[in-house]
Amino acid sequence: MRIGLEIHVQLPTRSKMFCSCPATGAEGPNEHICPGCMGMPGTRPSLNRAAVETGIKIARLLNCTVPDVAWFSRKVYYYPDICRHYQITQYETPIGSKGVYYLGDKPIRITRAHLEEDPGSMRISGNNALIDYNRSGMPLVEIVTEPDISSPAEAREFLKALLRDIRHVTDLPDDGERSIRADCNISVGTERCEVKNVTGLKNVERALTYEAVRQTKVIRSGGKIVRETRHYDEERKVTTSARKKEFESDYAYIGEPHLGMINVKKIADSVVTKESPHDMILRFRNELGVDEKIAAQIVGTSVEMAKLFENLVKIVGTESSLKWVTGPISANWKALEKNVSEKTGPLTDVIAMHAKGKINDVECSIRIKELITGEDRKTTERAADDLDVIIRKAIEDNPSVVGDYKKSDKAANRIIGAVMKSTGGVFSSSDIVEATKRILNDMIK
């Protein structure tokens, strides 16, 4: 099975790609439109520099080659969602090409990342097509991968990681997984089909799974896969034939005469790109010796928490930093993230005191939670009074866990999870795991 994706990411700019219409905030259909984004005769496009800068950031994230100069082209097709009957896009000179994005250690090759405008949105109602042109002209980056993805589940995992990194480097708002739209190309045999405009990570996985099963059945029954564009029906969770798949030559690309050559190098030299969460995870693994899954857990909770962890490592080392960041700090992160800059110093001081042996584990946990949440010290001390008592009470409430633990030590996770939740980060996760297994082992002797 070979899967390649064409991913459309709407850029977080204030105005549209080639006109000054607002990119957000329309309350009703066709409110944010003008003769320019409608492509009326006599209008000319004007390039949004912020969209180019954001495109460069995404190209760098994907380890693409960014050209010194670029231009736009007209992609000709006759659908009502673009009323001028051509889309302004990049063809010969994309903002990025020949890149690679690593999913863990697996490379997913990136063919290209190009800038373009979004068409309008269309809804079929009976025999009528209702079109909202508010979306027409919105700035997009389209990311095209090679067919290096091996399964629908891997496609979803790839999109999840990619969306996380794009949000970070471009300050794209987190409006859920449905903010990403993809054309999904899949082949089980020699010919591929494209499932067009699938919205959301879950739907991408479902559409690809259905299409993989459908193509396999066709081939096994002696039929041939027809190269075509298909539509994914979210309600029925099936793909249906839409039209014959176009080839690049069908679009009759011609250069956009009104935009001219763009000095991309000059813009790129002024663009500062943040380190992506993916690169941060790999750096923690390679430079600090942190297990990749734990590094992903830290960065996935918050990049700010990952920065706090990195600062702690410089002061108390990796092992001690992991103990407190993955314990009481992550357990109380929601309370901390609102004013992390104010409390980083005091937190570091408390953990440094523990590292020097001036306070014990329980005292350090109490002080950390006190700093983060502002809770009364007596309340925190009561929770920390006796870890063994808390664990034994949790086992009494779940007596079947003792028998289950005899069969598999994974049963301890039920108690560990319950104790972590009830103590709210007062104890480190390693202390809870160690004490729970010790008590359960004593009970089954």
Side-chain angles (χ1 to χ4, degrees):
M1 184 185 302
R2 303 173 74 215
I3 295 170
L5 300 173
E6 299 170 26
I7 305 145
H8 302 85
V9 181
Q10 200 171 98
L11 305 182
T13 57
R14 286 182 295 178
S15 58
K16 292 186 179 182
M17 189 74 176
F18 301 114
C19 70
S20 59
C21 286
T24 58
E27 294 181 2
N30 299 310
E31 286 190 354
H32 288 173
I33 59 174
C34 71
C37 59
M38 293 290 286
M40 297 298 184
T43 60
R44 286 187 164 196
S46 178
L47 183 60
N48 185 336
R49 180 187 170 107
V52 177
E53 292 173 349
T54 307
I56 290 167
K57 291 177 182 179
I58 292 175
R60 286 176 177 170
L61 167 68
L62 299 169
N63 300 297
C64 287
T65 300
V66 177
D68 290 341
V69 295
W71 60 90
F72 284 83
S73 297
R74 295 178 177 183
K75 179 180 179 180
V76 179
Y77 63 93
Y78 297 95
Y79 294 112
D81 52 5
I82 291 185
C83 54
R84 73 164 85 88
H85 300 313
Y86 64 83
Q87 178 188 35
I88 302 177
T89 183
Q90 290 183 316
Y91 181 53
E92 296 92 345
T93 57
I95 199 72
S97 60
K98 296 181 179 177
V100 62
Y101 181 89
Y102 286 90
L103 185 60
D105 291 323
K106 179 177 179 177
I108 307 294
R109 291 171 297 160
I110 306 298
T111 310
R112 57 191 280 128
H114 61 265
L115 292 162
E116 64 184 20
E117 60 178 340
D118 214 352
S121 54
M122 184 165 57
R123 181 166 62 87
I124 305 299
S125 177
N127 294 323
N128 299 312
L130 304 177
I131 304 172
D132 180 5
Y133 287 109
N134 282 334
R135 199 177 74 182
S136 182
M138 292 287 195
L140 292 180
V141 162
E142 180 175 339
I143 300 164
V144 182
T145 78
E146 292 290 321
D148 293 340
I149 300 167
S150 305
S151 70
E154 189 174 81
R156 180 175 177 176
E157 185 184 356
F158 166 72
L159 285 173
K160 182 179 179 181
L162 180 63
L163 184 57
R164 174 203 64 196
D165 286 355
I166 288 174
R167 280 176 176 151
H168 180 69
V169 302
T170 67
D171 298 318
L172 185 70
D174 186 351
D175 52 357
E177 67 163 45
R178 292 184 67 84
S179 62
I180 204 160
R181 200 166 77 242
D183 300 337
C184 308
N185 294 278
I186 176 170
S187 61
V188 173
T190 56
E191 191 55 271
R192 67 182 171 92
C193 291
E194 178 186 45
V195 187
K196 197 80 172 172
N197 286 329
V198 184
T199 304
L201 276 60
K202 289 179 183 176
N203 286 332
V204 166
E205 183 177 12
R206 288 168 180 164
L208 285 167
T209 300
Y210 178 87
E211 190 58 20
V213 172
R214 184 192 72 83
Q215 289 187 23
T216 300
K217 287 180 178 178
V218 170
I219 292 168
R220 285 179 178 172
S221 64
K224 290 185 178 180
I225 302 299
V226 177
R227 181 172 180 172
E228 62 179 346
T229 296
R230 297 179 70 84
H231 167 72
Y232 178 65
D233 186 322
E234 289 188 30
E235 291 185 6
R236 295 166 55 211
K237 295 181 175 54
V238 300
T239 69
T240 55
S241 181
R243 61 180 183 271
K244 181 182 174 184
K245 174 65 181 157
E246 298 95 340
F247 292 84
E248 289 298 296
S249 57
D250 295 329
Y251 293 121
Y253 288 97
I254 59 171
E256 171 51 68
H258 295 134
L259 289 171
M261 300 283 283
I262 302 152
N263 189 338
V264 178
K265 187 177 187 306
K266 184 177 179 181
I267 300 173
D269 288 345
S270 68
V271 172
V272 177
T273 308
K274 300 179 192 174
E275 180 183 38
S276 72
H278 178 265
D279 289 345
M280 185 177 277
I281 291 166
L282 294 183
R283 186 162 57 77
F284 284 3
R285 182 192 70 180
N286 299 334
E287 296 179 11
L288 304 180
V290 180
D291 178 82
E292 190 169 331
K293 288 184 179 178
I294 295 174
Q297 176 189 332
I298 293 170
V299 176
T301 299
S302 167
V303 171
E304 288 302 314
M305 191 174 84
K307 290 177 181 176
L308 171 60
F309 166 72
E310 199 167 6
N311 289 332
L312 279 171
V313 169
K314 295 173 185 175
I315 299 166
V316 301
T318 301
E319 188 175 346
S320 183
S321 299
L322 281 173
K323 177 175 183 175
W324 301 111
V325 168
T326 59
I329 291 177
S330 63
N332 296 282
W333 182 253
K334 285 186 179 179
L336 175 62
E337 64 181 339
K338 297 172 187 175
N339 50 4
V340 63
S341 59
E342 298 171 18
K343 295 184 177 179
T344 295
L347 276 172
T348 303
D349 292 343
V350 169
I351 294 168
M353 287 175 67
H354 175 271
K356 292 173 183 176
K358 294 182 178 180
I359 55 176
N360 61 23
D361 281 11
V362 173
E363 176 68 17
C364 187
S365 295
I366 291 171
R367 292 195 186 190
I368 288 173
K369 189 171 183 185
E370 213 176 8
L371 275 169
I372 293 174
T373 64
E375 281 186 10
D376 179 73
R377 184 177 180 84
K378 290 181 180 179
T379 303
T380 308
E381 284 176 337
R382 280 197 299 272
D385 217 8
D386 192 339
L387 178 57
D388 281 19
V389 171
I390 296 168
I391 291 171
R392 291 181 188 280
K393 178 66 170 61
I395 293 172
E396 285 176 16
D397 293 340
N398 298 273
S400 63
V401 79
V402 178
D404 293 341
Y405 185 71
K406 288 181 181 179
K407 302 172 186 175
S408 171
D409 58 6
K410 290 182 179 179
N413 293 338
R414 302 207 310 262
I415 302 301
I416 292 166
V419 172
M420 284 182 174
K421 186 176 180 181
S422 66
T423 55
V426 169
F427 304 99
S428 69
S429 55
S430 58
D431 287 344
I432 294 173
V433 171
E434 183 182 341
T436 301
K437 290 187 176 180
R438 170 174 51 79
I439 290 169
L440 284 169
N441 283 330
D442 289 343
M443 287 181 169
I444 63 174
K445 281 180 180 178

